[in-house]
Amino acid sequence: VSAVPGLPLDDPELAACAEKVMPRQSLAQVLEMKVAQDGAEPATTGAELYWKRDAEGLSRVVLRLTSPRDKAGLAVLVLEQKTGAPTFMVYLPETRKARRVAGKTIDGSMFGTDFSYEDFAYFQHTAAAGKVQRLEDQTIDGTAMAVLQAEPEGASPRYSKVVSWLDKGRCTLSRMEFYAKNGTLLKELSVPAAEVVQVEGRWVPQRIVLDDKKRGSRTELKVVSTKIDQPVNEAMFIPATFGNGP
């Protein structure tokens, strides 16, 4: 799970923060995802997340479901582009084929969670953030925060702005807010400060919560294990082969 949102790298302080916490080359995590709505018992899904830089330094991310059995093998591949929106691919094990995700589908639920494909790209800092500016720093509960505002680019972005709070001491994401074009807060992502721990010298969130204000639902991501800069099969990030698994 990413530690930082997309950052304006022309800001020396934030560029240093990103360098401090991001893996040099790769990341592999085992996750548990829980989705709850209307007070119902949360549905739990197992997953694996893989991240790796390409030769040009662009991010590539794969999220692959491992349980329950009827969802195991479902996978999404996100490829950051030099300009414009990232490329999304989804692998369906029942057809053994991958297809590109485009149009309104990008705004839809990803694997039944509160994350849309676009939300996931923002969280994994692969989205086309458009105009990004640093706002005035804030102090929240005694913690100094850098505040960033991104105005999504594209013909018809869902969000008018995405605001992120970055813990300046740990250089990790604390909160993200996603706003509609009319100014309504649609979703809020939070990272409990007590559940950010050091893994191999880097601060890594262990639990992430996304609240969908419109649906009244919540998705929680729990990190079970993390490996940093360990070998990851290159085939995991190729559209024709990512569905085959690690």
Side-chain angles (χ1 to χ4, degrees), residues 35-36 109 112-116 119 187 210 212 215 217-219:
V35 181
S109 170
T113 70
D114 291 296
F115 285 91
S116 68
D119 299 339
K187 296 181 182 180
L210 180 65
D212 188 316
R215 295 177 58 201
S217 55
R218 165 177 287 193
T219 295

Side-chain angles (χ1 to χ4, degrees), residues 159 161-165 175-179 185-189:
Y159 303 117
K161 63 181 179 179
V162 179
V163 183
S164 303
W165 284 259
R175 189 166 89 241
M176 296 181 80
E177 293 180 347
F178 300 81
Y179 289 87
L185 176 61
L186 293 178
K187 296 181 182 180
E188 181 178 10
L189 184 147

Side-chain angles (χ1 to χ4, degrees), residues 64-81:
R64 182 173 179 270
L65 303 191
T66 57
S67 66
R69 181 173 296 181
D70 63 338
K71 292 185 177 181
L74 280 168
V76 60
L77 168 67
V78 187
L79 302 173
E80 182 183 14
Q81 304 298 315

Side-chain angles (χ1 to χ4, degrees), residues 14-15 28 44 52 60 89 125-126 146-148 153 157 172 178 187 193 202 214 217 235 239:
L14 297 186
T44 302
K52 191 175 183 180
R60 300 171 295 171
M89 302 289 297
H125 54 87
T126 58
V147 186
L148 307 175
E153 63 181 19
T172 55
F178 300 81
K187 296 181 182 180
R202 290 174 170 82
K214 186 175 181 179
S217 55

Side-chain angles (χ1 to χ4, degrees), residues 31-233:
L31 309 175
E32 287 183 357
M33 303 191 298
K34 292 186 177 181
V35 181
Q37 186 172 18
D38 299 328
E41 185 69 20
T44 302
T45 301
E48 298 170 338
L49 183 141
Y50 301 90
W51 172 90
K52 191 175 183 180
R53 297 183 194 272
D54 68 10
E56 297 180 304
L58 298 175
S59 291
R60 300 171 295 171
V61 184
V62 170
L63 180 67
R64 182 173 179 270
L65 303 191
T66 57
S67 66
R69 181 173 296 181
D70 63 338
K71 292 185 177 181
L74 280 168
V76 60
L77 168 67
V78 187
L79 302 173
E80 182 183 14
Q81 304 298 315
K82 287 184 178 180
T83 59
T87 296
F88 298 93
M89 302 289 297
V90 169
Y91 177 79
L92 304 175
E94 61 268 26
T95 64
R96 297 186 179 182
K97 293 182 179 180
R99 62 176 177 83
R100 186 165 181 167
V101 180
K104 293 183 178 180
T105 305
I106 292 175
D107 294 336
S109 170
M110 186 180 71
F111 302 151
T113 70
D114 291 296
F115 285 91
S116 68
Y117 294 93
E118 182 181 9
D119 299 339
F120 185 68
Y122 269 108
F123 186 52
Q124 293 298 326
H125 54 87
T126 58
K131 179 183 177 182
V132 180
Q133 60 179 320
R134 183 170 177 176
L135 306 181
E136 184 176 349
D137 289 358
Q138 298 180 10
T139 299
I140 301 176
D141 296 329
T143 299
M145 299 280 182
V147 186
L148 307 175
Q149 179 175 293
E151 297 177 6
E153 63 181 19
S156 57
R158 180 183 186 190
Y159 303 117
S160 63
K161 63 181 179 179
V162 179
V163 183
S164 303
W165 284 259
L166 182 70
D167 183 326
K168 294 176 65 176
R170 293 175 171 176
C171 296
T172 55
L173 181 67
S174 178
R175 189 166 89 241
M176 296 181 80
E177 293 180 347
F178 300 81
Y179 289 87
K181 294 179 181 180
N182 64 3
T184 301
L185 176 61
L186 293 178
K187 296 181 182 180
E188 181 178 10
L189 184 147
S190 59
V191 179
E195 298 190 55
V196 179
V197 303
Q198 283 197 310
V199 178
E200 300 179 27
R202 290 174 170 82
W203 289 102
V204 179
Q206 300 298 289
R207 188 166 72 93
I208 296 91
V209 180
L210 180 65
D211 288 299
D212 188 316
K213 302 298 185 179
K214 186 175 181 179
R215 295 177 58 201
S217 55
R218 165 177 287 193
T219 295
E220 294 190 20
L221 302 184
K222 177 183 177 182
V223 177
V224 178
S225 66
T226 299
K227 294 181 180 180
I228 296 175
D229 291 327
Q230 298 296 311
V232 178
N233 187 355

